[in-house]
Structures are given as structure tokens and as C-alpha cells.
Amino acid sequence: MNWFTFLPLAIMLTLSAALAKAPSRLHPSWSARLLATTGAMTAVAALGTGFFVAVNYAATLAPSAAAHVPEWALFGDDRPVPDAVGVPAAVLSAAGLAAAGRAAARWAAALRTARADAREPLDTDVPIAVAVPGRHGGVLVSRGLLRDLTSEELHVVFQHETSHLRHRHHRYLAAGVLASAVLPPLRPLAARLRLATERWADEDAAEATGDRAAVARTIAKVALAHPRGPGPVSAFAESGIVERVEALLGTPPAKNAVTGPLLFMGNGVVTGSLTAATLQLDHVLVSFLVSLLAFR
């Protein structure tokens, strides 16, 4: 084992931190795709690295059992994994998997509850609008929302929530939730991902209604009447209200018809390659060095 084993994970963590903090000039749709891909691949790289090191640590403790381990799962050299590295890797990998399992269970339970409630308007005076994905989902609204908003404002709300459903934003949010469960340092990235999906739906609503100011006013009105924390599904006014309103009152973002796809494809290639290298980097380096020596 050498420090190259942890290089892909270190690069992925650095990339995730940079994307979480750096302001994006892309259209929110492309920002959401970049953040979701990066977060998911970083979590996979973390679990893969931990599993990889743990397997090789087990082979160090029981060399006779290593003969039954696939060659791709072993390091390219025969140096033992020290206890100071192997034990934390095993513990953290198990903890990460357990945290991801708990997050997935909570997410599924919340979705089941939302789908059960979506059959009729919620009997509350608080204005609520939530996009509930799935065959039995739809747009969940409250009686307070239907009563307090004008027809134009309701049109804005339904356009926004329909955008969430049409683009399956719950999958993006699930990637952020699972990534931050595996790696708590990814929580800022998950928060920015949630904001990006909300901005994406805001822009769709603004384009559909043709009135950006009306969308901004509706968001502010619902947010003031119903402040709430982010949940497992996309509510109309739940996060980044000030930033969303300011963006809607400004110039519409460019569609990035060329820049967006190119950056997304490039990011996918980089993150996918680094994640795959988590389990293969040692073998790749050893093969490269052997080939280089043979060439000489």
C-alpha cells in the first residue's frame, strides 16, 4: 500500500469542496447535474477506498485467506497494511454504509408518507406545496395555499412543482442526502445542490409564466407565511429564499447549450475515472512501471 491509494478520494473531496463554495455561472440545471454527479462519485470513492483498504488489511491479518480474494481487490504490491490504517478504514466504511442505509430508510419512509397525503389537500391553514414523485405522487398542496394565493400565484406554484416532477429532482436530492450521510463534510455540497434544483424549478416557472417578478413575489409570500427546513421532497419555499428571489429579479441565466453539456461530460469522465481508480490505481501504476522498465 502507498499514498497513491488515497489520491482519488483526496481529489474528489477537493473537487466537492470547490464546487460547494465556488459560485456557479452555469444555468441551475447544469449546476445541479454537476453537483449531484460529483457528490455521488465522491461518496462511492470514499466507500470504495475504505472497502479496498479493509479487504487488504484482512489479507494482511490472514495471508492464507488472500488466495481466495480476487486479484483486482488486492494492492499491486505485497506490503502489509498497518493497523493504524486498516482499523479506521474498516470502521469508517462500516459506519458510512450504516449511515447511508439509515438515510435511505428515512427518505423512503418520508416519501411513503407524502404519497399517502397527496391524495387530497392538506387540512391546514399554512400554505404548503410539495412535489411528490412516483406513480401515486403529484403536487401536494394545503387548503391554506389554495385559499391565500391568487390564481396567478397558484399557477406559479404548480409550474414550479411540475418542474421538480418532470426533471425528477428527487433523484438529485437523494444523491446529495446519501453523499452527505456517508461523508458529513459533503453537507455544504448537498445544500448547494438543493438550492440548484430550486433555482432550476424557479427558472422553469418564470419561463412558463413569462413573469420573473411574479415568481419572485410568490416565493417570498409563501416563505414568509411558512418558514420551514428542507425535507426529503421539494417544497415550494424551503431554502435559499433570498438568493432565489434576487436571481429572479436579475437577468435570466444563459441556457449553456454548449458549455453545460461539455462541462457535465468532462466532470463525469473525471469523477468516474477517479472513482474507478480507487480500486485499480495500484495495479495501473505497477503495470505502467513494469512496462516502462521493459521498454528501457
Side-chain angles (χ1 to χ4, degrees), residues 1 150 168 177 182 191 200 223 225 255 270 293:
M1 186 190 75
T150 66
R168 295 178 172 85
V177 168
V182 173
W200 186 350
K255 291 290 188 178
V270 171
L293 292 174

Side-chain angles (χ1 to χ4, degrees), residues 27-243:
H27 188 278
S29 61
W30 293 112
S31 294
R33 292 182 176 103
L34 288 173
L35 291 167
T37 301
T38 303
M41 290 298 99
T42 303
V44 172
L47 292 175
T49 300
F51 175 78
F52 190 30
V53 175
V55 167
N56 283 269
Y57 178 61
T60 298
L61 297 178
S64 59
H68 303 287
V69 178
E71 184 179 355
W72 61 265
L74 297 174
F75 289 138
D77 54 54
D78 296 327
R79 283 178 289 181
V81 178
D83 294 340
V85 176
V87 173
V91 171
L92 292 176
S93 296
L97 285 172
R102 289 193 298 269
R106 289 194 299 267
W107 183 277
L111 284 181
R112 285 194 299 270
T113 301
R115 286 167 182 162
D117 292 339
R119 297 171 185 171
E120 58 184 18
L122 294 174
D123 190 14
T124 176
D125 292 333
V126 178
I128 298 173
V130 178
V132 182
R135 179 179 301 176
H136 302 293
V139 179
L140 172 63
V141 298
S142 67
R143 299 189 187 280
L145 184 88
L146 297 175
R147 184 195 63 217
D148 295 342
L149 268 60
T150 66
S151 59
E152 291 78 9
E153 290 169 339
L154 287 173
H155 181 54
V156 168
V157 170
F158 279 97
Q159 288 295 332
H160 176 101
E161 300 303 334
T162 300
S163 173
H164 283 316
L165 296 174
R166 183 170 65 252
H167 299 300
R168 295 178 172 85
H169 286 167
H170 65 286
R171 296 181 181 178
Y172 295 79
L173 299 180
V177 168
L178 292 177
S180 60
V182 173
L183 287 172
L186 293 183
R187 287 173 182 168
L189 183 140
R192 183 168 285 274
L193 171 57
R194 177 174 288 273
L195 176 59
T197 59
E198 292 301 322
R199 284 281 301 113
W200 186 350
D202 290 343
E203 291 298 330
D204 280 357
E207 186 174 345
T209 61
D211 192 341
R212 299 178 64 80
V215 178
R217 286 194 302 269
T218 305
I219 291 172
K221 180 177 180 178
V222 176
L224 289 173
H226 180 45
R228 56 168 290 176
V233 290
S234 299
F236 179 70
E238 63 177 11
S239 63
I241 303 301
V242 174
E243 187 171 347

